[in-house]
Amino acid sequence: MPPSERDRKYDRQLRLWAGTGQAALEASHVALLNASATGCELMKNLILPGVGEFTIIDDSLVKPDDLKLNFFFNDESVGSPRSVIACKLLGELNQDTRGHALFQNPEVLINDVDFQWDKFSVVIITNISESSVRKLSNILWNKSIPLIYVYTVGFYGYLRVINREITIVDTHPESLVDLRLDQPWPELIDYTMSFDLDSLPILDYAHVPFVVLILKFIDQWKSAHNGLMPGTYEERTQFKQLINDARKASDLENFDEALASVWRISQKTTIPPDILAILNDPSIDNLNEESPDFWVLVKALKRFTEAPRNNGLLPLSGVLFDMKADTNNYIRLQTIYREKSLADVHFFTELLNELLLELNRPSSSISSEEIKLFCKNCRYLNVTRGSKLDSEFSSEGFRSAYELAAFSENHDPFYTYLALRVYSLFLDKNWYYSENGKQITSRDDVELKNLFKSIITPFPTVPAVEKVFSEIIRTGSGEFHNICSFMGGIGAQEILKLLTWQYIPLNNTIIYDGIFGTTKTWKL
Amino acid sequence: MSRESPYSRSLGKSLADTIKNSKVLMVGAGGIGCELLKNLALTGFGEIHIVDLDTVDLSNLNRQFLFNRSHIKKSKALVAKETASKFNPHVKMVAYHSNIKDTTLFDIDWFKSFKIVFNALDNLDARRYVNKMCMAAEVPLIESGTTGYNGQVQVICGTKTECYDCKPKATPKVYPVCTIRSTPSQIVHCVVWAKSFLFAQLFDQTEETSQFDESMDNVENNEEDLKTLKQEENELKSLRDSILDSNAAQLIFNKVFKTDIDRLLSMDTMWKTRTKPTALDYNILQESTKGISRNIINNDQKKWSLQECFVVFKDSLHRLQTRLKFDLNPADSLQTISFDKDDDDTLDFVVAASNIRSIIFSIETKSKFDTKQIAGNIIPAIATTNAIVAGICVLESFKVLKNDIEKARFVFLTPKHHDKVLTATKLQPPNPDCPVSSVARSTISMNTQIIQLRDLLQSLKTNFNYTDEICLISDGKLVYDIDFDDNLDRPVKDLGIADGTFLTVIDEAEDGDGKSFINLELYIKHNPAIGSPDSGLISSIKFSHIPIIPKRNSDNLNDDVIIAVNGDERNIVGSSKRKAPESTPELVESSKKLKLSEKEDKDGAIILDDDDEIISFD
Ligand SMILES: [Zn+2]
């Protein structure tokens, strides 16, 4: 497809993650273990936006039951390998994606020490024994490949992301505007000084950008208050009064904007706590030639903030919002912010190049686009570190989760989480259920409850958990297409974040309760 | 295979049977529609009707999975039906490649034939229309929408809940005409100019200029200015006749980027506080663009230089000319091309023209990619959000089918709330000021070709005790009030009171307690079989029923029905029997509601509890 046509096909999503996100997505290879309904729905949502490659690993044949859940299968598919059929039909959704089918048992594959997992960017695993998930999660953890474990039962959905670490520059915050009203730099001060409010004709007066107004009045305030900014709520109210008293007419939008922005000066320009934590992360202590660009950039950023000329501040984003001002003044102000931001990028690049030299890397090895993006977004960087399944899936992990739940309200989805954990253990114990397509019945209720009690002893059992058991039994542990489709949407959304390296990902568990229509997330 | 499906086990046999016997309507076969149709089919709804006027476009394929490249330009409704029928052969599907507002196809009785209506639309106008039809037909509506990662599902159930119009909706932004035509200060002004003025005047005279509003202009603009604007517009219109000439590019360019700018520059007062624009010259630019390739049109991330814009301006104009020539049909002299964001010929022209204008006015330019978003009001869209929202739609429909409206929820998909993702709030009662929910309703059958307004008025006064202050509005236009009785002798059909329309009856006269009637909304059915001049016309106006019209305090009513004369539906909605919208931004309001609902949800009960049909088998 010619590039312009490709852009048109993906136009509506390029507006969410831009060309960089799309390129990252197209360079990805996603594996699905078990072509379950949830798994296929999830893959559909990755193939449509254009994931580069996918591999479906499954050794079962299409059964008549599958047709009710999985729209990809039809009467003719019955008896054929699910992996082959799913791969073919999913592949038809997007000609620009390459699909592979692996007719192999996922559990066997997980135990195959020679299998090469490294080619996958993300692995999805559904409807499989818990012991296999644990095993695979450790293999992938060591390779830093994210694993998504997802399944549905009845009206419930479960999703767990097992990912060692992801570092995100472009988190898409609500706004990148950084006015620095409390820390104006010389060019901004000079520009502010160039206005003589008293002598301006009313029309010009009405077009003085509010940033200038605030800076002017801050000056006025400071000279009356020993050089201090309006700090308390009370002082800010007085400061508003000061602005209000000065306005020459009632219908001055720029004064309204100034008043509406007074709260901004209460926010001191400093390094936000989570960014400070990133700057002090041990990851930057022992950088070498192989270190990820992100941590190299962070180290340069740290040096930037430590440089005396920067007064402990981060690079300026240079982003302004629209304000009441005539074109001239607006463009002038915009230029002042942009130039300051460019100067910061320039100095940052110098520091970065020094660092790259120390690491024996060529100075051009991080592109200027990456540097600009990093500087622009440096107040909103994100480092998300996940947790391994082993601790969560141990008896101790379960008991501490139980204790957490003890503080929850009656219908808290956390009880659903506990119940699903027990259900999952039950299935592992009674593996023949999944093997024979056998359904859970009311006779299994006692065993589920006993299993639960045996884990939480000596604590008392919880009715809310038992309610979930009866709901699971009611549905005969069957899956519903709707819930599969919903979880396929949620799961694909999270994977898209991981593959495009944009937006803040889920960390690390989500439970969907389709009965109440609620979801809840936790870090477990 | 005799095994009972998990659905009927869990939902209870009665709900599973209801689903199987339900006939439902899905309006819109786009992003949500594709997902929803698949879900409805696999859930086993007995009969699904699909209405969509749209055809498949390349830019749909990143999410609308029922379509592929071979379907481009084909009817979405028909293709969706064809593809989704295979998912479940037991479901009957009926598709219409039509406008849902076509009352000859879809009248109120047709709406009444559905158990539930699902809205999977992308525009305010159609949403409001279906909402109103569902309210009139008393059919529950499940309304859904997505924007990028965000989405929502609203259950609307007659007078029991809020309807789509109970909360004011943001309407498209309107700009003062002088800002657009003379004193642009932002790129959006230049884009609106290029698309809704320049392009529209040259290629598509059907385009409404609704994005301008002359009344918004301030004192700076005297009549002189407006006269100049009119003159400029006429000059441009006359250029339309030369659109196929070989020197059209030069004529148009010099007219809008030179002559008009020079004229603006001559108005000194305009530039006292503004940066003066710079007029451009075709021949001079032409000289400086040698060697610039037209391939720049493929670089949609770059901000094009003036020279590059110039090349694209000429190139896109040439492509549009070729289309006009190719399409030229002697019988049809009104050849038009409409702006379409996904039609590159039209987009390139608008991108080039708006950026040239931005350069003239010292405004920062935008890339083709960004200009497209502004010009096309593009809403980002991906498969994941649609899948999530469609799943919720079906789950909410179960509650409606079970008559468990108290358990239905208004669900918001808010992925930025990291601890929740979804927020479900209880349904609110109707807004007493809503023009759709808070009216009395009935249906009139009559021969609209012979009944005169006078007869209709008489019938209304007789049946409902209306006073002389009665006022009638048909589809946003005032047809009668005490000071406007010109139409009394005309057949009502001539006044727009035709089959499938709504007539609003307003009587704001206060009684002794300071109360007045709420509005009456009448659905019109044309029936030529009833009524002839002999049998007495008034008696041949048949009401489906005579509702008792409640009265309410008229303290807070705005007395601005006069706005109705403008014929602007938006204003009507805001005027008749309705308080001015509160200034509380919607965001604040919904966050307040969120807090409330968290508490409420905890008191809820499991919705599926009452079906105790646990079936055990081995
Ligand atoms: Zn309403």
Side-chain angles (χ1 to χ4, degrees):
Chain A
M1 211 193 287
S4 69
E5 214 177 313
R6 181 182 145 279
D7 285 354
R8 266 172 55 207
K9 177 162 104 179
Y10 295 132
D11 181 81
R12 300 304 184 267
Q13 68 201 37
L14 286 171
R15 290 167 200 285
L16 289 172
W17 54 63
T20 49
Q22 187 65 29
L25 182 61
E26 288 173 12
S28 307
H29 186 167
V30 177
L32 169 66
L33 279 74
N34 267 340
S36 67
T38 309
C40 287
E41 288 282 341
L42 199 158
M43 287 307 302
K44 164 183 127 274
N45 299 330
L46 294 177
I47 291 164
L48 285 168
V51 73
E53 275 181 75
F54 65 93
T55 297
I56 304 216
I57 302 157
D58 192 310
D59 73 332
S60 56
L61 306 179
V62 176
K63 293 188 285 284
D65 276 5
D66 290 331
L67 309 192
K68 288 192 167 140
L69 276 175
N70 197 326
F71 73 93
F72 285 109
F73 302 145
N74 56 37
D75 286 333
E76 290 152 37
S77 353
V78 174
S80 305
R82 293 209 303 190
S83 59
V84 175
I85 301 287
C87 174
K88 176 177 171 285
L89 296 171
L90 280 164
E92 283 173 8
L93 293 173
N94 192 342
Q95 295 164 336
D96 299 324
T97 294
R98 280 203 299 153
H100 314 273
L102 203 53
F103 184 62
Q104 204 164 344
N105 184 311
E107 314 230 4
V108 174
L109 198 70
I110 289 166
N111 287 304
D112 176 358
V113 286
D114 294 327
F115 187 74
Q116 292 299 309
W117 297 94
D118 303 78
K119 59 180 173 249
F120 302 124
S121 333
V122 166
V123 177
I124 305 154
I125 190 161
T126 76
N127 302 29
I128 201 165
S129 74
E130 197 167 294
S131 49
S132 296
V133 176
R134 283 173 74 164
K135 194 156 205 172
L136 179 62
S137 73
N138 286 329
I139 296 171
L140 297 179
W141 182 272
N142 292 331
K143 297 176 180 297
S144 293
I145 299 170
L147 173 68
I148 311 294
Y149 175 34
V150 56
Y151 68 84
T152 76
V153 50
F155 278 77
Y156 302 114
Y158 170 90
L159 182 132
R160 168 74 151 92
V161 181
I162 304 108
N163 187 22
R164 195 174 193 140
E165 175 184 291
I166 182 162
T167 54
I168 297 184
V169 175
D170 195 356
T171 53
H172 293 261
E174 298 287 334
S175 159
L176 286 168
V177 171
D178 183 6
L179 294 179
R180 304 238 166 134
L181 295 170
D182 59 335
Q183 302 262 6
W185 55 98
E187 290 80 5
L188 184 57
I189 295 169
D190 288 349
Y191 178 62
T192 305
M193 300 297 275
S194 73
F195 287 84
D196 180 8
L197 291 185
D198 292 331
S199 69
L200 282 179
I202 187 76
L203 209 60
D204 295 347
Y205 188 77
H207 285 93
V208 176
F210 85 83
V211 170
V212 172
L213 291 178
I214 289 202
L215 289 171
K216 284 254 176 212
F217 291 115
I218 285 180
D219 252 12
Q220 202 177 321
W221 173 276
K222 275 180 165 174
S223 56
H225 293 83
N226 303 320
L228 294 171
M229 296 275 288
T232 63
Y233 174 77
E234 221 162 57
E235 283 171 344
R236 278 198 301 280
T237 314
Q238 287 169 22
F239 182 65
K240 278 186 185 176
Q241 196 58 47
L242 183 80
I243 298 178
N244 236 336
D245 290 347
R247 69 198 285 163
K248 291 186 190 166
S250 59
D251 58 341
L252 295 173
E253 279 179 58
N254 53 341
F255 272 76
D256 294 339
E257 287 173 349
L259 288 170
S261 292
V262 165
W263 64 272
R264 288 177 185 274
I265 59 172
S266 65
Q267 297 192 313
K268 271 193 74 191
T269 306
T270 51
I271 303 173
D274 24 339
I275 302 303
L276 208 55
I278 293 173
L279 291 179
N280 292 320
D281 197 283
S283 300
I284 64 168
D285 292 343
N286 297 303
L287 294 180
N288 58 46
E289 214 176 328
E290 305 289 304
S291 300
D293 286 356
F294 180 85
W295 292 112
V296 176
L297 288 160
V298 168
K299 182 145 191 170
L301 186 65
K302 185 167 194 183
R303 290 185 181 173
F304 181 96
T305 61
E306 286 164 353
R309 62 183 263 184
N310 287 324
N311 214 4
L313 297 179
L314 294 166
L316 184 76
S317 72
V319 179
L320 266 188
F321 44 69
D322 280 336
M323 58 190 78
K324 183 78 186 171
D326 56 273
T327 322
N328 253 354
N329 277 324
Y330 184 68
I331 291 176
R332 184 77 198 98
L333 195 63
Q334 224 176 17
T335 310
I336 289 168
Y337 273 82
R338 203 172 33 231
E339 277 172 1
K340 163 75 175 150
S341 140
L342 285 175
D344 283 354
V345 169
H346 187 76
F347 182 59
F348 178 88
T349 309
E350 276 174 26
L351 296 175
L352 179 68
N353 286 343
E354 279 169 28
L355 178 61
L356 287 170
L357 200 67
E358 292 167 29
L359 300 172
N360 290 318
R361 285 181 57 174
S363 61
S364 57
S365 59
I366 298 181
S367 75
S368 64
E369 280 75 36
E370 275 176 87
I371 297 172
K372 271 188 209 145
L373 187 77
F374 184 84
C375 287
K376 196 170 176 179
N377 286 279
C378 64
R379 272 164 70 217
Y380 301 97
L381 305 175
N382 178 275
V383 175
T384 295
R385 293 200 169 101
S387 66
K388 294 178 81 166
L389 274 188
D390 281 339
S391 54
E392 180 194 342
F393 280 15
S394 67
S395 308
E396 293 71 40
F398 189 89
R399 267 196 290 274
S400 60
Y402 170 89
E403 283 169 50
L404 250 171
F407 298 101
S408 306
E409 301 273 343
N410 210 10
H411 287 295
D412 196 287
F414 207 87
Y415 295 115
T416 313
Y417 166 78
L418 291 179
L420 290 181
R421 293 279 312 109
V422 176
Y423 168 70
S424 182
L425 292 171
F426 169 88
L427 285 187
D428 263 22
K429 253 181 93 189
N430 305 282
W431 53 270
Y432 55 87
Y433 276 90
S434 49
E435 282 293 291
N436 302 344
K438 205 171 160 185
Q439 292 186 324
I440 203 162
T441 71
S442 53
R443 285 179 217 158
D444 298 313
D445 192 33
V446 180
E447 195 183 340
L448 278 168
K449 285 177 183 165
N450 285 341
L451 196 57
F452 181 43
K453 274 183 208 146
S454 72
I455 306 170
I456 57 162
T457 304
F459 300 108
T461 179
V462 190
V465 172
E466 292 178 353
K467 215 159 182 180
V468 179
F469 289 152
S470 42
E471 188 51 38
I472 290 173
I473 287 164
R474 185 205 306 284
T475 57
S477 61
E479 291 187 271
F480 290 173
H481 171 76
N482 252 306
I483 307 289
C484 298
S485 178
F486 179 93
M487 291 308 290
I490 296 274
Q493 193 115 297
E494 287 311 317
I495 293 172
L496 286 170
K497 292 181 195 167
L498 300 177
L499 295 180
T500 58
W501 293 63
Q502 289 180 44
Y503 297 93
I504 297 176
L506 167 78
N507 195 15
N508 53 25
T509 302
I510 184 164
I511 293 284
Y512 177 52
D513 179 337
I515 293 167
F516 285 100
T518 51
T519 49
K520 207 163 176 183
T521 67
W522 303 270
K523 183 173 182 197
L524 295 170
Chain B
M1 196 192 59
S2 62
R3 182 164 83 81
E4 194 179 7
S5 80
Y7 272 120
S8 49
R9 262 192 98 165
S10 171
L11 300 174
K13 200 172 172 331
S14 68
L15 178 56
D17 286 347
T18 310
I19 290 171
K20 209 193 281 174
N21 296 322
S22 288
K23 178 177 156 189
V24 297
L25 167 64
M26 186 179 95
V27 193
I32 299 177
C34 281
E35 290 287 339
L36 186 57
L37 186 59
K38 172 200 70 184
N39 291 4
L40 292 172
L42 284 162
T43 304
F45 279 85
E47 186 171 335
I48 307 168
H49 289 232
I50 307 135
V51 181
D52 199 317
L53 180 62
D54 222 355
T55 53
V56 177
D57 183 85
L58 180 61
S59 66
N60 300 144
L61 301 185
N62 79 324
R63 60 195 187 282
Q64 299 176 16
F65 71 97
L66 299 177
F67 315 132
N68 62 42
R69 292 176 70 84
S70 74
H71 297 129
I72 289 173
K73 298 240 190 292
K74 291 189 179 158
S75 154
K76 284 189 177 178
L78 301 177
V79 178
K81 177 205 155 176
E82 188 190 307
T83 313
S85 293
K86 293 172 199 145
F87 302 162
N88 187 347
H90 305 296
V91 176
K92 181 181 172 193
M93 292 191 193
V94 184
Y96 310 81
H97 180 210
S98 312
N99 186 341
I100 189 66
K101 292 171 82 172
D102 183 342
T103 51
T104 58
L105 283 171
F106 314 122
D107 65 6
I108 196 156
D109 293 325
W110 183 79
F111 272 91
K112 277 188 182 163
S113 72
F114 297 104
K115 200 106 188 201
I116 297 182
V117 174
F118 292 90
N119 255 0
L121 287 159
D122 62 356
N123 71 87
L124 188 70
D125 183 56
R127 282 192 159 108
R128 293 180 110 148
Y129 180 82
V130 176
N131 174 58
K132 189 166 168 172
M133 288 306 282
C134 286
M135 293 295 281
E138 296 176 311
V139 181
L141 169 66
I142 295 183
E143 156 66 44
S144 57
T146 66
T147 309
Y149 289 111
N150 297 304
Q152 83 281 327
V153 176
Q154 181 183 9
V155 178
I156 296 167
C157 210
T159 51
K160 292 182 206 155
T161 67
E162 274 185 337
C163 82
Y164 184 71
D165 262 328
C166 277
K167 285 236 171 60
K169 298 287 182 291
T171 42
K173 195 155 168 49
V174 177
Y175 299 97
V177 68
C178 284
T179 305
I180 300 301
R181 296 280 305 278
S182 308
T183 56
S185 60
Q186 298 165 19
I187 180 78
V188 60
H189 302 149
C190 297
V191 175
V192 170
W193 174 86
K195 176 186 133 186
S196 303
F197 177 68
L198 182 62
F199 185 90
Q201 291 293 342
L202 289 174
F203 300 103
D204 180 17
Q205 285 169 350
T206 60
E207 156 103 358
E208 304 161 43
T209 45
S210 57
Q211 265 183 302
F212 313 139
D213 183 349
E214 297 191 6
S215 66
M216 279 169 68
D217 287 318
N218 46 30
V219 281
E220 289 187 62
N221 303 304
N222 51 36
E223 268 182 47
E224 189 79 5
D225 294 343
L226 290 171
K227 235 166 73 189
T228 315
L229 290 181
K230 198 72 213 164
Q231 187 197 334
E232 281 181 5
E233 197 174 320
N234 290 335
E235 287 169 9
L236 190 59
K237 272 184 190 149
S238 64
L239 273 184
R240 198 186 146 80
D241 302 330
S242 336
I243 193 85
L244 294 179
D245 292 2
S246 56
N247 64 341
Q250 183 166 12
L251 289 176
I252 295 166
F253 190 95
N254 280 341
K255 147 85 182 121
V256 296
F257 298 129
K258 185 166 190 271
T259 317
D260 288 353
I261 303 297
D262 280 335
R263 189 179 297 134
L264 280 176
L265 280 166
S266 69
M267 296 183 226
D268 293 337
T269 50
M270 221 174 239
W271 312 110
K272 271 190 185 152
T273 65
R274 296 188 178 96
T275 313
K276 284 185 181 175
T278 320
L280 300 173
D281 185 89
Y282 185 89
N283 289 328
I284 296 172
L285 259 177
Q286 173 86 322
E287 280 302 301
S288 68
T289 56
K290 295 235 164 78
I292 294 181
S293 157
R294 67 177 295 273
N295 289 338
I296 187 70
I297 56 171
N298 291 325
N299 190 344
D300 72 348
Q301 297 294 331
K302 183 178 188 287
K303 292 178 179 177
W304 298 336
S305 69
L306 176 59
Q307 282 73 17
E308 286 164 340
C309 287
F310 183 78
V311 168
V312 178
F313 178 82
K314 287 196 305 177
D315 186 79
S316 57
L317 185 66
H318 182 72
R319 280 179 275 152
L320 292 163
Q321 282 177 317
T322 313
R323 269 163 70 168
L324 285 179
K325 274 182 202 153
F326 186 70
D327 290 349
L328 205 57
N329 175 354
D332 178 13
S333 60
L334 273 175
Q335 211 59 56
T336 62
I337 300 174
S338 298
F339 174 79
D340 177 351
K341 57 186 180 285
D342 293 313
D343 175 343
D344 260 350
D345 299 342
T346 67
L347 178 66
D348 287 340
F349 182 83
V350 166
V351 174
S354 64
N355 277 316
I356 293 171
R357 190 169 169 85
S358 298
I359 293 166
I360 288 173
F361 283 91
S362 312
I363 295 166
E364 202 182 335
T365 59
K366 290 265 184 203
S367 66
K368 175 173 166 181
F369 183 81
D370 289 336
T371 309
K372 181 176 178 179
Q373 177 138 354
I374 300 168
N377 298 317
I378 290 180
I379 296 166
I382 34 165
T384 49
T385 315
N386 291 326
I388 297 167
V389 161
I392 299 168
C393 287
V394 177
L395 288 177
E396 291 300 321
S397 78
F398 293 165
K399 301 172 190 171
V400 172
L401 287 176
K402 295 184 70 168
N403 267 321
D404 270 343
I405 295 303
E406 330 64 70
K407 289 167 187 162
R409 292 287 179 273
F410 196 150
V411 186
F412 298 90
L413 174 62
T414 48
K416 292 230 161 140
H417 290 242
H418 290 288
D419 59 330
K420 288 196 96 126
V421 185
L422 289 187
T423 314
T425 72
K426 272 198 169 177
L427 300 180
Q428 302 293 307
N431 174 358
D433 297 318
C434 172
V436 180
S437 299
S438 300
V439 293
R441 291 187 180 275
S442 185
T443 298
I444 294 188
S445 300
M446 61 184 168
N447 186 337
T448 56
Q449 282 160 341
I450 58 169
I451 297 286
Q452 294 174 353
L453 184 60
R454 182 185 304 282
D455 311 320
L456 179 59
L457 203 60
Q458 189 54 49
S459 167
L460 286 168
K461 284 186 178 174
T462 317
N463 283 301
F464 295 98
N465 294 323
Y466 278 125
T467 71
D468 286 340
E469 292 197 31
I470 185 170
C471 152
L472 302 183
I473 291 170
S474 166
D475 274 345
K477 280 197 287 293
L478 181 73
V479 292
Y480 172 82
D481 78 6
I482 194 155
D483 301 319
F484 180 58
D485 56 1
D486 314 18
N487 295 322
L488 284 175
D489 297 326
R490 297 173 67 187
V492 292
K493 184 166 188 269
D494 293 0
L495 303 168
I497 304 175
D499 192 54
T501 63
F502 286 93
L503 179 72
T504 310
V505 186
I506 304 174
D507 182 352
E508 294 191 327
E510 288 177 23
D511 62 13
D513 304 324
K515 292 185 171 190
S516 60
F517 286 122
I518 69 162
N519 294 353
L520 171 65
E521 187 135 291
L522 295 165
Y523 182 79
I524 309 297
K525 275 190 185 174
H526 170 62
N527 187 344
I530 52 172
S532 68
D534 322 322
S535 64
L537 282 172
I538 294 173
S539 64
S540 62
I541 297 175
K542 308 277 187 209
F543 287 87
S544 61
H545 67 291
I546 308 280
I548 295 169
I549 305 178
K551 288 191 168 190
R552 52 179 288 208
N553 278 328
S554 44
D555 291 345
N556 298 316
L557 296 180
N558 285 343
D559 191 15
D560 57 356
V561 179
I562 194 78
I563 293 174
V565 185
N566 291 344
D568 183 338
E569 205 181 354
R570 277 205 307 274
N571 288 339
I572 292 277
V573 169
S575 70
S576 44
K577 305 245 172 179
R578 177 172 189 164
K579 280 185 238 170
E582 285 174 38
S583 55
T584 331
E586 211 165 351
L587 258 178
V588 176
E589 201 176 71
S590 65
S591 75
K592 241 190 279 170
K593 254 174 64 183
L594 300 189
K595 271 181 212 140
L596 212 70
S597 67
E598 271 170 50
K599 212 167 64 202
E600 285 165 356
D601 268 352
K602 283 161 195 157
D603 305 321
I606 293 188
I607 51 157
L608 302 166
D609 253 359
D610 42 356
D611 260 309
D612 276 329
E613 296 179 67
I614 300 173
I615 301 157
S616 58
F617 60 114
D618 303 298

